[in-house]
Amino acid sequence: MSDIVGEGRHDLRDALDLLSGQVADGILHAEPTYQETRLPAAAVQPLVRANVAEILAALAGETSSLEPAREAGRVSAAEGMPLDLLQHAYRLAGLRIWEELARRLRSENDTAALLRASSRVWFAIDRSSNVAVRAHLETAAGLGENMARTELLRGVLTGAVHDLDTARRALGLPTDVMLVVAVTGPGLPPAPLPGASPVPEDAGADASRVVTRWLTHEGARLTLVAAPTSQDAHDAVACLAVHAPTGASRPFTSLADAPAALAQARTAVRSLPLGAVGLARYGDRPLDALLVADGERAAELASAVLSGLRDRDARDEELLLGTIEAWFEHGGSGTRAAAALHCHRNTVLNRLARVADLTGRDINDPRAAAELYAAVRARRLQRDPG
């Protein structure tokens, strides 16, 4: 049809803006079903323009990749647009293209040319439409599979799924691996479609054998990691813990242990100081895990042991708490604690003497020191009750 459409005023590519605008308006304003979708006009218009441009190029005899049609199918499925609306959009495009071409050919009184033009227009429309429909169906099937996999993972982690062998196969998990659950808190980084999280290339020698499955549950991102060894699993989790607080459970080998691992991971992430970014493994901070496991009792401990400090000015209270922490962090050495705090050793000792006066606990007494350490840790780990 290049002899009809591809030359002079019969080449409709000079009307691309007009035709694509008419088609986009028809989709956006004349289709009640469209109002129920989430796809904004700013996304519809370039999709329509790319598809109309490719159809016009095909009519002019150029080879087309049909990628705009595939993209239209993928996007429409991902945004929940019904298939019939996608098909109607192509019919609308065909109608607008045919009307413009017929208007140009009508003045030539060539009925045969009109018939040939009609055939070629609707052949091009059907070709693009069929490709878009296939892409829509394939994308929708993949999304449905991901949604089903996500709900299956939720059931495994919460203990609602009991056929664990079937669940393992459906989730695509190897049978001879260690598994780790990670919980990522506020500040979640962007992630791919639910169900599968890629592991960065630097995750280790066996990164290609690491399988991860994730979902968002109760405000946190939960990730199930399957790997050949527990070290491979921890390496993979470390790669996922770059942007937000992350907790990992102990390794386990049976999906029956997944709910307990989830509890461990939640405890681990809560053992990180407020605002901290990084990875906490369950078992690395046993005292912190104990404190966050019973936040109410931990708060009572902190209040009882440190009540004398609460009567101080906030800056003075923080100064004394920081001195206690530095003392423990540096093995009870006043000299090393002073170096870390950028003050004299005697200043550290004087502050610790004030702590003893205000709390009734001498840091040189092992039992009192244990209470002070636990109370300070409980204070640092306290969460907003909301």
Side-chain angles (χ1 to χ4, degrees):
M1 187 175 165
S2 58
D3 59 324
I4 298 175
V5 183
E7 298 178 359
R9 64 193 184 93
H10 298 157
D11 187 342
L12 301 188
R13 287 176 293 186
D14 61 6
L16 173 59
D17 290 338
L18 171 67
L19 294 171
S20 59
Q22 290 175 340
V23 175
D25 286 345
I27 296 171
L28 294 171
H29 304 302
E31 291 297 328
T33 307
Y34 173 80
Q35 304 304 322
E36 301 174 6
T37 70
R38 298 169 295 171
L39 198 59
V44 170
Q45 290 160 346
L47 274 176
V48 168
R49 193 178 196 281
N51 275 271
V52 171
E54 183 171 61
I55 292 168
L56 296 183
L59 291 175
E62 295 185 2
T63 302
S64 57
S65 68
L66 294 175
E67 185 54 35
R70 294 187 185 92
E71 181 66 7
R74 289 191 291 262
V75 171
S76 62
E79 296 298 336
M81 291 176 61
L83 187 58
D84 59 348
L85 180 55
L86 176 66
Q87 293 172 306
H88 178 77
Y90 281 97
R91 289 194 295 270
L92 182 60
L95 180 61
R96 294 292 178 263
I97 291 171
W98 164 241
E99 287 176 343
E100 176 62 19
L101 183 56
R103 185 185 66 79
R104 298 187 184 195
L105 291 174
R106 200 170 289 122
S107 62
E108 299 181 3
N109 244 347
D110 188 343
T111 303
L114 279 170
L115 291 175
R116 290 195 301 272
S118 176
S119 175
R120 290 295 296 272
V121 166
W122 291 108
F123 175 83
I125 291 296
D126 286 344
R127 183 166 172 258
S128 290
S129 177
N130 289 338
V131 168
V133 167
R134 283 197 297 273
H136 181 104
L137 293 174
E138 290 169 359
T139 302
L143 291 171
E145 181 180 345
N146 275 329
M147 290 177 63
R149 178 176 285 179
T150 296
E151 291 310 307
L152 179 60
L153 176 59
R154 194 188 311 277
V156 167
L157 294 178
T158 59
V161 171
H162 303 292
D163 187 351
L164 298 178
D165 287 338
T166 299
R168 183 189 287 273
R169 289 193 296 272
L171 290 170
L173 302 174
T175 58
D176 56 348
V177 296
M178 309 297 288
L179 302 176
V180 174
V181 176
V183 179
T184 304
L188 298 178
L193 290 173
S197 298
V199 176
E201 292 180 358
D202 58 355
D206 286 317
S208 61
R209 298 171 61 191
V210 174
V211 176
T212 61
R213 300 285 181 257
W214 73 270
L215 78 160
T216 300
H217 180 71
E218 296 181 351
R221 178 168 298 152
L222 311 182
T223 304
L224 178 62
V225 178
T229 69
S230 58
Q231 186 58 54
D232 292 327
H234 280 308
D235 289 345
V237 171
C239 293
L240 300 173
V242 177
H243 302 289
T246 304
S249 74
R250 287 194 176 106
F252 60 100
T253 56
S254 170
L255 284 184
D257 295 326
L262 172 57
Q264 292 174 4
R266 286 191 178 281
T267 297
V269 76
R270 289 172 57 214
S271 71
L272 287 167
L274 283 173
V277 172
L279 174 64
R281 295 183 175 92
Y282 186 80
D284 286 356
R285 300 179 176 92
L287 176 61
D288 288 358
L290 180 63
L291 293 171
V292 300
D294 190 342
E296 186 177 350
R297 301 288 86 75
E300 289 177 356
L301 169 67
S303 179
V305 174
L306 303 175
S307 59
L309 300 186
R310 285 185 176 272
D311 297 332
R312 313 300 297 173
D313 175 85
R315 287 176 296 181
D316 189 38
E317 178 188 11
E318 181 58 34
L319 184 69
L320 295 177
L321 289 174
T323 301
I324 296 171
E325 289 176 312
W327 171 270
F328 283 110
E329 184 176 346
H330 295 282
S333 168
T335 301
R336 293 203 301 272
L341 295 171
H342 307 290
C343 65
H344 194 276
R345 176 177 179 275
N346 288 340
T347 302
V348 171
L349 298 179
N350 288 335
R351 291 176 187 172
L352 294 176
R354 290 176 59 205
V355 169
D357 290 339
L358 293 169
T359 66
R361 289 169 173 82
D362 186 344
I363 205 165
N364 294 302
D365 177 351
R367 179 178 296 178
E371 291 179 350
L372 281 169
Y373 181 76
V376 172
R377 291 306 303 149
R379 181 73 174 277
R380 294 306 195 199
L381 294 169
Q382 282 179 3
R383 259 53 176 177
D384 185 341

